[in-house]
Amino acid sequence: MTATIPNLPSLYDPFSTEAKWQKFWEDNQVYKADPNKGGEPYCIVIPPPNVTGSLHMGHAFESALIDTLVRYHRMQGRNTLWLPGTDHASIAVHSMLEKQLKKEGKTRYELGREKFLERAWQWKAESEGTILNQLRRLGVSVDWSRERFTLDEGLSKAVVEAFTRLYEEGLIYRGEYLVNWCPASQSAVSDVEVENQEVNGNLWHFRYPLTDGSGFVEVATTRPETMLGDTAVAVNPNDDRYKHLIGKTLTLPILQREIPIIGDEFVDPTFGTGCVKVTPAHDPNDFDMGKRHNLPLINIMNKDGTLNANAGEFQGQDRFVARKNVVSRLEADGFLVKIEDYKHTVPYSDRGKVPIEPLLSTQWFVKIRPLADNSLEFLDQQTSPEFVPQRWTKVYRDWLVKLKDWCISRQLWWGHQIPAWYAISETDGQITDNTPFVVAKSETEAWEKAKSQFGENVKLEQDPDVLDTWFSSGLWPFSTLGWPEQTQDLATYYPTTTLVTGFDIIFFWVARMTMMAGHFTGQMPFQTVYIHGLVLDEKGQKMSKTKGNGIDPLLLIDKYGTDALRYTLIREVAGAGQDIRLEYDRKKDESASVEASRNFANKLWNAARFVMMNLDGQTPQQLGNPVATELSDRWIISRYHQVIKQTTNYIDNYGLGEAAKGLYEFIWGDFCDQYIELVKSRLQADADPVSRRVAQQTLGYILEGILKLLHPLMPHITEEIWQTLTQQPADSPQTLPLQIYPQVDANLIDPALEEQFELLIATIRTIRNLRAEADIKPGVKVTANLQTESEKEREILTAGQSYIKDLAKVEILTITDKQENQTVTAKKPQRGLKIIGLILVAIVFARLGLAAGNAIDDIPIVGTFFELVGFGYTAWFVSQNLLTAQARLRLWGRFFPQKELEQPQESENAIAGVIGTIQVLIPLSGVVDIEAVRAKLEKSLSKVEAEIESLSTRLNNPSFVDRARADVVQGARDALAEAQKQAEILRDRLKGLM
């Protein structure tokens, strides 16, 4: 009875395959974590994407990196959890909803908080699925049963717990302070939400007259409108130009307010005029100076960026309109000195995309130093967390050192409402800066506290502001696992193992998490922080919405498949933390690099089809592990275990790109192009049964191992092939993600054998290349001569000559010592005369010998003695001079001195190549049309020589060398060197055809 041979379709369809397995994995909860399972835990919490977002290439890159790590460690037998979720993104959602309302001619205040939040939750329900479904398209192996959202009930409970604890410990306070204000979102933003942009602006110089009429001082500013809030002018007390003015007063132009001249060492005497206007309510440095000198704080700005009543005649004007009008007024009044062009840095709101305005405001703050110092202690004493690459440790540490108190309140409605209730009955029903409040975990608790403090008739109103999104995100690693409850998940999976994130949010998020975790759990939230780079566009530029140079990952997935995109993104990583560049043709929406990865998938698919068609319907388990005897079997098994060792080492040390490249080279080169070709003849029906069985065992063994090694990088295609290869039952199949990752067997690694086989492969490759260069048809077998002085190399080539013949289509193969092939190169007439002379001499001596022999033979006894002597001498002469090539060469040298010998020459009408010290010669006579080959080589040489002439002309032109960019000049020099090398090769080829 003939066994049924399972096989794959002739063409790989990534789209149906990927959708099928994504559904299977999720439906069967393949990735559901079990804290009771035991084993060493491995946990990663996803950097939560904003609920407003859609998948961009950064998400795809980060998700591919994380999924590779998670799948690898799961297959290593660790108790693995990858926890998914999303962030509520308070500013982004709030801004989006307000824009919608504006189109409807409404404001959020008209709508009311309750209705506004209803809209927000409705929009979240519709939008959240977009990003999560896109993550599913990437095949991420997350535990969807543990999906979290920063505003869900559990996380909201954790936020309230954290806030109240910090408040009770004196680490949260409410106070008036200068904050970064975003007029677009009308909310405070933290320092880390400010993006500094270099802009071309102006520096305006104005005169401020001394009150006593004795003169004036000149100040310079980039924000003229803020002069309306000036409360002093400062000079350096050591500046001889101005120190005599300290203590005098000035009359502020326009508003005619009298302000003092103060001395403060903060002033840089070399900047501008050395006189600095001081606006404590609108500049952080001025704010600090104002506190040192007890200056009044005058706020001139409303929260929407317009000027208020303190700005006098400019009230109601937008800040930038007011800027122009203030300058015009100062010019009209004679106070404008000059205007300079000035390039400087302006802080922009990362969310609102407008210049921020330092604004005096009453906000909630976290005392950051105790938290930051605690994280610094973990870092300095325990090297926790460990950063990969290590260089980011210093960036993280410097940030912790420089942190100032953290403003955590936002003037928004979407988010965690601050758990503070104001006793408005104490301040005429209004929340003011002085309204007393209570902090509580619930409204019921707040009423109890308030009544005990203010009596039964107290009226309460909860703070309308919400907390900074990063406050809840800072709790993410432990709040998602159940904190503040002591859950089994928290006990098993916390601290998490690895955080994978971009360098751009070390400040936003990583530091927040370590500070919160260190304070609330006494541990760092993760052991390792793996910082990845950015995905750059085809020009090497950062992708951004502003530039419009983003690449939609879903477009590439729809064209090439998820596995192809994932593998490309990881393979491009040259080292941990490095940016990667993605090739992309915007006109065609195509990527050559992703297409190459799809071709890799097809290569694996076709190789798997071939293997399964030759296993006689048996699985690798049924065939059993091979006991290799043949050279090629031992080589591929050694290479396989070498690759296991290499891949494991790379992934353990976050060398994911190197791991991907190594697997590519092994699968495509060693397994597909070499081993499969080598064993084809052994798989024939009439082949030796024992050899055939070993070949089948080896093919099945290596293929299954390859699928396991590659699975973390390309999960869908490997699962599809593995299911068919191992013939899993349709009703209750095992699944590849839960198989054990291949383990290295050092006893099966043979470096010497691998080195020898590399020589064979290089030889085969060279013969193939020579055949291609000479246009030898694939079906034509050739004669090849391999020459090397190394006895070891000759032994290797001899041992593998059957492989060379099979794969390089060689009919007659000779392997010789180069010295044997040395030829006499003296002038032909002289060489011929010497040969004739040698023959005549030999004849004369032969005749004399015969005559002497005949005479001696006639003498009794003596004749017999000479026969014995002659026989012995003949045996000695042959052994010393004729048995080996070296001996024959010595004998030849006695007659023809070595000075007349040169190195061996290529045979006429032959093509030659070199592998290290091995020379390969393929005679072409009778194999190809030599004249056609010569014509082809001459045409190629002419083209290369023309290129050499063109490049030489450019490089000899001083105008080009001096004016062109350095990289362009170097590129031309490199091209010239390459062209010269090609010309030399072509001339050598032509010489062989002479």
Side-chain angles (χ1 to χ4, degrees), residues 666-898:
F666 173 70
I667 295 169
W668 190 300
D670 295 341
F671 184 64
C672 297
D673 283 355
Q674 305 302 332
Y675 184 71
I676 286 180
E677 293 299 318
L678 288 169
V679 298
K680 279 183 176 179
S681 60
R682 294 166 59 194
L683 297 172
Q684 301 300 317
D686 58 351
D688 176 70
V690 175
S691 176
R692 185 172 187 270
R693 180 75 175 182
V694 174
Q696 289 176 322
Q697 290 174 328
T698 306
L699 283 169
Y701 172 71
I702 300 296
L703 177 58
E704 184 174 14
I706 283 172
L707 297 174
K708 292 177 180 178
L709 287 171
L710 190 60
H711 177 74
L713 295 151
M714 303 179 82
H716 306 90
I717 188 173
T718 51
E719 176 78 283
E720 179 73 10
I721 296 173
W722 185 83
Q723 291 284 333
T724 307
L725 176 68
T726 59
Q727 300 179 39
Q728 293 298 314
D731 54 345
S732 58
Q734 295 185 46
T735 184
L736 183 55
L738 300 183
Q739 302 305 301
I740 296 300
Y741 202 74
Q743 303 298 304
V744 65
D745 185 342
N747 295 321
L748 296 176
I749 297 177
D750 188 341
L753 173 63
E754 291 183 33
E755 183 179 352
Q756 294 170 16
F757 220 85
E758 281 302 312
L759 180 64
L760 290 176
I761 292 171
T763 302
I764 293 167
R765 186 182 301 115
T766 300
I767 296 174
R768 285 175 165 177
N769 290 341
L770 291 175
R771 290 176 60 105
E773 289 178 20
D775 282 338
I776 299 173
K777 294 179 180 179
V780 175
K781 291 195 172 184
V782 298
T783 296
N785 177 229
L786 308 180
Q787 303 173 8
T788 174
E789 295 177 3
S790 167
E791 184 175 353
K792 180 181 178 182
E793 288 181 343
R794 292 197 300 274
E795 290 174 355
I796 294 169
L797 295 171
T798 301
Q801 60 183 321
S802 62
Y803 301 135
I804 298 173
K805 285 184 174 182
D806 283 350
L807 297 187
K809 296 292 195 316
V810 175
E811 184 173 15
I812 300 174
L813 178 67
T814 58
I815 302 167
T816 61
D817 187 334
K818 276 188 178 180
Q819 291 183 1
E820 289 186 49
N821 293 279
Q822 286 181 321
T823 55
V824 179
T825 58
K827 294 181 180 178
K828 290 182 180 179
Q830 294 176 348
R831 180 179 178 186
L833 289 173
K834 287 190 175 183
I835 293 174
I836 294 170
L838 181 61
I839 293 172
L840 292 173
V841 170
I843 292 172
V844 170
F845 274 97
R847 295 293 295 170
L848 290 173
L850 288 171
N854 290 332
I856 292 172
D857 281 346
D858 294 336
I859 303 173
I861 302 174
V862 175
T864 303
F865 172 77
F866 270 92
E867 284 179 359
L868 293 173
V869 170
F871 179 81
Y873 178 81
T874 300
W876 174 83
F877 183 90
V878 169
S879 67
Q880 293 296 309
N881 296 287
L882 300 177
L883 286 182
T884 66
Q886 289 87 346
R888 292 192 296 272
L889 195 64
R890 285 197 302 272
L891 178 63
W892 184 264
R894 292 173 190 172
F895 296 95
F896 304 105
Q898 188 67 30

Side-chain angles (χ1 to χ4, degrees), residues 3-15:
T4 302
I5 298 178
N7 204 359
L8 300 165
S10 58
L11 295 175
Y12 173 54
D13 176 13
F15 312 110

Side-chain angles (χ1 to χ4, degrees), residues 592-652:
S593 54
V594 183
E595 183 177 3
S597 296
R598 185 196 61 187
N599 294 341
F600 176 46
N602 290 337
K603 183 82 170 181
L604 175 63
W605 184 265
N606 292 329
R609 290 186 73 245
F610 173 83
V611 170
M612 282 185 267
M613 286 190 291
N614 285 279
L615 297 186
D616 297 336
Q618 299 179 85
T619 67
Q621 289 70 31
Q622 292 168 341
L623 287 165
N625 289 344
V627 178
T629 54
E630 293 202 22
L631 186 66
S632 60
D633 300 333
R634 290 190 290 113
W635 166 72
I636 196 65
I637 290 173
S638 176
R639 284 290 302 125
Y640 168 62
H641 282 275
Q642 190 76 265
V643 167
I644 296 173
K645 179 181 178 181
Q646 170 185 294
T647 305
T648 302
N649 180 64
Y650 276 138
I651 299 180
D652 285 342

Side-chain angles (χ1 to χ4, degrees), residues 131-149:
I131 187 72
L132 295 179
N133 287 331
Q134 290 172 338
L135 287 173
R136 284 180 167 91
R137 287 288 307 275
L138 285 169
V140 294
S141 59
V142 301
D143 182 351
W144 290 108
S145 70
R146 285 174 165 82
E147 181 187 337
R148 304 306 299 267
F149 176 54

